[in-house]
Amino acid sequence: MDVLTVGETMVMVTPEAGGRLVSDSRFLLRPGGAESNVAALLARLGHKAAWASALGVDPLGDLVLDDLQRHGVDTSLVRRDERRPTAVYFKDPTPDGTRVYYYRAGSAASAITTADIAHWTAHPARLVHVSGITAALSEEAREATRALIRGPGLVSFDVNHRPRLWHGDAPEVLRELAQDSDIVFVGRDEAEALWGTSDAESVRELLDRPRYLVVKDAAIEAVSFTPSGVHRAPSTKVDVVDAVGAGDAFAAGWLSGFLDDRDELTRLRLGHYAAARVLESPSDFAELPPAADIIGKLG
């Protein structure tokens, strides 16, 4: 396995074609979760990707598994929980941005434990990917995230701060998890809200231990700090339908380049390409061609 991703996936309910959430809306039902998004996109890009988590024994859990399997994701490690449900969230695209409403309290994935982590990581993968969302689901899930990041092997961590899931300790916990990871993704504005940093360089001063740090500055650029130096790549200009999921897509594109041992500029450009395709989509996902085909288009 190239990549194992771990984290909660919910069923996303979103109006078709990016419309508003109103009484006569027509809806799409799709899996929505940071880590499963990364797994599905990496599978589309040509990598062997697995996703591990817990789902309820319900039709929504079946929907998640069916959709991810259709995209080529290995879901054999997923645990089904008869006592807890699969979570749901609704997206409401507005001219000022997409509002998201979560119904996830007491979900199956909120009960992920360190025992789950031990079982999942017994199956070797070149890289493990997780996000800060998992650490916010419950105390059990937070300890499980720590165990995953501090375990053996290469770990990729997307900060993915969700303020509504936290209770005041997000800056300390997310910095701790990032510092213990090998690869870290964080938005420039996200880092500013968490830690008061002002630019990519000040984020690097704060997160000085990760071997690779990628700071995404929305529509402007992405900056990476790597053993070979500092690299910058401008963002791709697109007409945005829905911004949710673009960060996951960027991570998938960059990780694809990393797994294929591409140079750093190519990794950043792959990240921008994948993010742009998701920005143009009403869901968190986009049908991507294999990475080699994308690189051919990029020139």
Side-chain angles (χ1 to χ4, degrees):
M1 192 62 60
D2 291 325
V3 179
L4 169 66
T5 71
V6 176
E8 180 171 48
T9 291
M10 300 172 284
V11 168
M12 174 188 64
V13 184
T14 183
E16 287 185 344
R20 289 298 308 275
L21 186 63
V22 294
S23 60
D24 60 349
S25 295
R26 295 176 62 88
F27 296 101
L28 298 172
L29 297 180
R30 297 287 187 272
E35 294 85 359
S36 62
N37 286 344
V38 171
L41 289 163
L42 279 168
R44 295 293 303 177
L45 289 164
H47 301 278
K48 295 179 180 179
W51 169 70
S53 188
L55 293 169
V57 181
D58 49 36
L60 298 181
D62 295 341
L63 183 153
V64 170
L65 291 180
D66 290 346
D67 199 271
L68 291 175
Q69 290 165 5
R70 180 173 61 84
H71 291 302
V73 177
D74 183 336
T75 61
S76 60
L77 296 175
V78 174
R79 173 170 61 80
R80 305 300 293 268
D81 191 324
E82 294 183 351
R83 297 179 299 161
R84 298 177 178 87
T86 304
V88 179
Y89 72 102
F90 292 78
K91 292 171 69 172
D92 183 20
T94 77
D96 300 322
T98 299
R99 296 175 183 171
V100 181
Y101 301 90
Y102 296 102
Y103 300 87
R104 73 197 311 171
S107 70
S110 70
I112 288 174
T113 67
T114 54
D116 288 320
I117 298 301
H119 172 64
W120 294 334
T121 55
H123 301 262
R126 294 171 58 195
L127 173 75
V128 175
H129 179 78
V130 68
S131 84
I133 296 172
T134 308
L137 297 178
S138 67
E139 286 300 324
E140 286 180 318
R142 184 172 304 182
E143 289 307 309
T145 305
R146 286 191 173 105
L148 182 68
I149 288 176
R150 293 172 181 171
L154 195 65
V155 176
S156 165
F157 177 71
D158 192 333
V159 172
N160 241 330
H161 179 220
R162 296 291 186 269
R164 281 183 285 177
L165 293 176
W166 291 88
H167 304 286
D169 55 351
E172 296 80 13
V173 175
L174 291 173
R175 184 185 180 196
E176 167 207 329
L177 296 173
Q179 286 282 65
D180 287 344
S181 301
D182 302 291
I183 301 167
V184 173
F185 300 95
V186 66
R188 189 208 57 78
D189 55 346
E190 179 180 42
E192 182 176 7
L194 280 167
W195 305 305
T197 52
S198 57
D199 53 24
E201 286 71 22
S202 58
V203 178
R204 184 52 165 171
E205 289 179 10
L206 185 83
L207 302 179
D208 58 346
R209 281 165 36 196
R211 185 171 173 83
Y212 297 88
L213 171 66
V214 183
V215 182
K216 302 163 291 180
D217 196 358
I220 300 172
E221 65 176 352
V223 184
S224 63
F225 299 86
T226 78
S228 64
V230 181
H231 308 264
R232 315 181 95 94
S235 301
T236 304
K237 305 302 180 185
V238 297
D239 293 325
V240 178
V241 173
D242 184 355
V244 177
D248 305 330
F250 184 96
W254 190 95
L255 290 171
S256 174
F258 179 84
L259 290 165
D260 286 340
D261 200 26
R262 309 275 185 190
D263 65 85
E264 185 57 28
L265 182 58
T266 299
R267 296 173 192 171
L268 293 172
R269 295 176 72 191
L270 277 169
H272 283 316
Y273 180 95
R277 300 293 77 78
V278 170
L279 287 168
E280 295 171 327
S281 167
S283 76
D284 296 1
F285 186 78
E287 299 285 347
L288 298 177
D293 294 351
I294 296 172
I295 292 170
K297 295 177 183 178
L298 294 175

